[in-house]
Amino acid sequence: MGRRQVWLLVLTGLFPTVEAVVLVAMGFVAAEGLAPQTGAVWPYDTYHDLRWMFVYHQSWPEFLTTFWLVMLARTGYHTLMVRLAWPDGMPMPSVPWMFRRGFVLVVVVTVVVSPWAVISVAASVVALSWVLFASLLPMFLIAPFMQRAAMVRVWWRGLPSIRLVGWSLLNLVALTLAGAAAWSVPSWWTVLVAAVAGVVNGLLWIRILRAALLAPPPRWARVPVTPFVVLVAFAVPVLIPLAVDAVPASLRAERVLLDQPLPPEITQAVVVLAGYGSAYGGVRPDDPRVEWFSYRGLGPDGEPLPYGPTDTTISMAESVELLAAQVERLHRRTGRKVALVGESEGALVARTYLSRRPHPAVDALVMFSPLVGAGRAYYPPPGARRGWGLVTGWYLRALFEPVRLTGGPGKGPDEPFIRSLLDDAPFYRNRFMCPVPGVRMVAFLPYTTAAEAPPGDYTGIPVFQTVGVHGGLLDRTQVRDNLVAFLAGAPVQRTRPEYTLIQRLTAGWQAPPLDISANPAWADVREPDPAFTGRVCVPGR
C-alpha cells in the first residue's frame, strides 16, 4: 500500500472518530450508530449529513447556509479521497477537473438522496418500520450506480459491474455492522469502533474506485440506466402509504377478537381499537361484550358509527374523547370491567386515554404493534416562520402531494393525528411504554418494531416479541392463545435475542432524535430524553 492510500485511511478514520468523540462527550447515545458513516463512500456520507441537517435547523437561511457549506466541504473531501485512492500507473485528471466533477457529483447525489433522508426523519416521527425501510431500500438500489460518478465520464449509461455491485453491498453491510457495534460497546469504546469503521471505509474507497475505473465495458452501454433507476426510486414515496394495505385482513390484530365469541374465562367487556387507515362498516362483532372503537363516535342508539380510512386522521385529543364516551357507555351497558385492545394508532389512542381520561372500570390494556419511540423529530405547522425542522416540514408536504392526489387515506404531514405526535412527543418518547397504576398491560411486538426506534431500554411493561410485520400476525394462533391468557388474568411475556439484534443492526440508519430540551414547542412539559438517558419511564422534572 502506497503513501497516498495510507493518508486516505488516516483521513477516513479521523472524521468518524471526531464525530464519535462529540456524541459520547454529549451522552447522545441514540445517535452513536451514525458516526461510522461520516467518512463513508457516497451516497452514504451524504445520507448521513442530510439527516442531521433535516433534524437540526430552525430557519430557511440557517438550513441553506449549512447546506451549501456541507456541499462545498463534501466536494473537497470527495476530490481528496478520489486522488488518494487513485490507482498507481493510471493517468490522473487535474485537480480543477476533479473538483468541478466532485461538485456536480455532490449536487446530483444530494438531489437523489434527499427524499430518502427526509422520509427517514418522517419515520422517526411516526415510528413505523415500513417508512424507514422505504427510505433505505431505494438508496441501496441506486448506490452502485452513483458510485461510478466521480470516476467514469459517461456514468449515467450502462450497468455497473458485478464487482462494483458486490463492493457496494459490502459497503452497506460494513456500515450496518459498524452502527450496531458503535451502539453496543460501552461509552468511549464507541470512539474506537468509529475509528476502525473509518479505516474500513477507506479500504472500501480504494476498492470501489478501482472497481469503477478498471471495469470492463459496461453492458447496455448506450442505455441511460441510471436516470431510469433514479426515477423508479423516486416513485417510492407515492407507494409508501399503500404498504399499510399489504397485510391481509385475516392477519390484522383486531380480527383475533372480532371473528368469534370471547372464551368464558374472559370476564371483561372489550373495546377493540383498529389502526390508521382502517374502516368499520357497522357490523357488530359476534360477542355482545366486544365493541369496535369508532373514530366517528357513537350514534343516537349508543352504537359505534361506521367510519372510513380518512376518519382515522383525527387528533389524539378527539380520539381520546370518543374512547372515553364509548368506554363509559360499554361499562354501563354490560356492568363489567373493560379491557382495551389496540393496534398501531389504536394502541396510541388507548394508552393516551389511560394517561388523560382513565375510567376506573378499565383494568387491562393490550397493544399490538404500538408505535414505540414516536415523536423523535419535529417540524412546525405551515404558518410558522421558524422552528426545528422547518424545511423538513415543507419537503414532506411536497413529497406527500402526489400521494394526496392519488387518493391516499391521509391528509399529509400536518393532519391532526400526525400533529398530535409532534406536539406531545415527550410523552410518546418517554412514557408511552410505561405502567399505569391499576391497569394490567402487555405489548405484542412484531420483529419489525425493533427497527422503529434506536436501541435501548424501550419499555417498562411486559412485551411479547413475535414473528410478524407491523399490523400483521404471522402466528395468529399463538398470539390469540396468549392474548386470551392475558385477558383471563395470566402474566404474558416473551423476549427474543433476535429482537435486540435487529434493534442494533438498524441503529445506524435512524435519523438522529431532536433533543427534547432544545425545542421550545415542548417547553411546557419537560421529560427526560431517552436519546440521552438510554431509558424510558424516567420521572420528569
Side-chain angles (χ1 to χ4, degrees):
M1 182 177 293
R3 181 178 299 177
R4 286 189 290 110
Q5 286 78 22
V6 172
W7 274 110
L8 183 146
L9 299 183
V10 170
L11 291 175
T12 56
L14 175 63
F15 295 110
T17 301
V18 171
E19 179 168 328
V21 167
V22 173
L23 293 175
V24 173
M26 294 174 59
F28 202 167
V29 294
E32 290 175 357
L34 277 70
Q37 298 171 26
T38 311
V41 185
W42 67 91
Y44 300 113
D45 59 346
T46 303
Y47 186 65
H48 164 275
D49 299 342
L50 288 173
R51 282 177 292 162
W52 280 106
M53 286 191 287
F54 280 131
V55 173
Y56 282 95
H57 72 275
Q58 298 189 73
S59 66
W60 278 96
E62 181 180 323
F63 179 84
L64 293 174
T65 300
T66 305
F67 177 83
W68 287 110
L69 288 174
V70 171
M71 293 268 283
L72 291 173
R74 279 298 176 191
T75 299
Y77 178 76
H78 288 167
T79 301
L80 181 59
M81 291 299 102
V82 171
R83 291 189 69 82
L84 292 176
W86 200 269
D88 295 330
M90 286 191 66
M92 187 184 302
S94 66
V95 172
W97 184 90
M98 294 182 76
F99 189 86
R100 290 194 301 271
R101 185 60 173 271
F103 183 75
V104 172
L105 168 65
V106 169
V107 172
V108 170
V109 171
T110 301
V111 170
V112 172
V113 170
S114 60
W116 324 126
V118 80
I119 289 172
S120 76
V121 177
S124 69
V125 172
V126 296
L128 283 172
S129 55
W130 51 265
V131 178
L132 177 65
F133 295 146
S135 72
L136 294 176
L137 293 177
M139 191 179 63
F140 301 156
L141 173 66
I142 65 176
F145 293 88
M146 304 303 300
Q147 287 171 348
R148 301 182 297 169
M151 294 79 75
V152 180
R153 291 180 181 273
V154 190
W155 57 272
W156 61 88
R157 294 202 302 233
L159 294 171
S161 66
I162 295 297
R163 179 171 294 182
L164 181 58
V165 172
W167 284 115
S168 180
L169 179 60
L170 181 60
N171 191 185
L172 164 65
V173 172
L175 291 173
T176 300
L177 294 176
W183 193 90
S184 300
V185 298
S187 190
W188 289 99
W189 285 95
T190 301
V191 177
L192 177 61
V193 170
V196 172
V199 172
V200 173
N201 285 333
L203 295 173
L204 287 167
W205 269 97
I206 296 171
R207 293 301 180 183
I208 288 174
L209 187 140
R210 288 174 181 265
L213 286 175
L214 304 178
R219 297 185 178 184
W220 299 0
R222 297 181 179 276
V223 180
V225 178
T226 300
F228 175 76
V229 171
V230 171
L231 287 175
V232 171
F234 278 155
V236 171
V238 179
L239 302 176
I240 287 176
L242 302 180
V244 179
D245 299 326
V247 179
S250 61
L251 296 180
R252 293 285 184 181
E254 61 265 21
R255 305 310 312 182
V256 172
L257 292 175
L258 296 173
D259 288 346
Q260 52 191 299
L262 295 179
E265 59 265 30
I266 297 179
T267 60
Q268 305 108 312
V270 179
V271 178
V272 179
L273 300 92
Y276 185 87
S278 62
Y280 172 55
V283 178
R284 287 192 56 83
D286 292 339
D287 195 311
R289 293 175 292 163
V290 179
E291 282 191 353
W292 192 313
F293 169 72
S294 173
Y295 286 92
R296 288 184 57 216
L298 303 176
D301 58 355
E303 294 296 316
L305 292 171
Y307 68 85
T310 57
D311 294 311
T312 64
T313 65
I314 62 176
S315 72
M316 196 63 63
E318 292 177 276
S319 295
V320 165
E321 291 301 317
L322 294 177
L323 179 58
Q326 191 162 345
V327 167
E328 173 65 29
R329 190 261 179 189
L330 180 61
H331 174 59
R332 281 192 284 106
R333 178 173 68 83
T334 64
R336 297 172 180 266
K337 293 286 189 178
V338 177
L340 305 178
V341 179
E343 183 262 320
S344 190
E345 181 188 0
L348 258 71
V349 172
R351 179 61 183 87
T352 307
Y353 160 80
L354 291 178
S355 175
R356 298 179 182 176
R357 292 284 306 274
H359 192 288
V362 176
D363 67 349
L365 169 64
V366 180
M367 297 190 287
F368 287 98
S369 300
L371 305 182
V372 179
R376 298 193 311 276
Y378 184 80
Y379 50 86
R385 295 187 177 182
R386 186 175 178 83
W388 292 107
L390 178 68
V391 176
T392 303
W394 286 109
Y395 203 152
L396 286 171
R397 293 174 191 117
L399 286 177
F400 193 87
E401 188 62 18
V403 179
R404 187 187 65 80
L405 295 176
T406 57
K411 302 175 183 177
D414 296 299
E415 67 182 39
F417 169 61
I418 301 298
R419 287 245 58 99
S420 297
L421 298 181
L422 293 165
D423 295 338
D424 204 15
F427 168 78
Y428 295 111
R429 287 168 68 168
N430 184 44
R431 287 187 285 136
F432 173 65
M433 294 290 286
C434 300
V436 176
V439 180
R440 299 174 58 248
M441 301 172 66
V442 67
F444 287 83
L445 305 180
Y447 282 177
T448 53
T449 302
E452 294 177 356
D457 182 7
Y458 65 92
T459 182
I461 64 174
V463 298
F464 188 92
Q465 297 163 354
T466 183
V467 177
V469 296
H470 185 87
L473 309 173
L474 300 187
D475 192 344
R476 178 171 171 170
T477 300
Q478 180 193 61
V479 171
R480 186 181 189 281
D481 291 345
N482 281 277
L483 171 60
V484 169
F486 174 80
L487 292 177
V492 170
Q493 186 168 6
R494 185 180 75 170
T495 57
R496 308 287 293 184
E498 55 266 32
Y499 190 93
T500 302
L501 178 62
I502 295 171
Q503 281 188 300
R504 297 185 179 191
L505 289 175
T506 56
W509 303 113
Q510 306 282 346
L514 177 63
D515 182 357
I516 288 178
S517 64
N519 192 3
W522 299 333
D524 291 341
V525 181
R526 288 297 185 189
E527 294 276 354
D529 194 339
F532 292 86
T533 65
R535 297 181 295 125
V536 296
C537 306
V538 178
R541 295 184 294 275

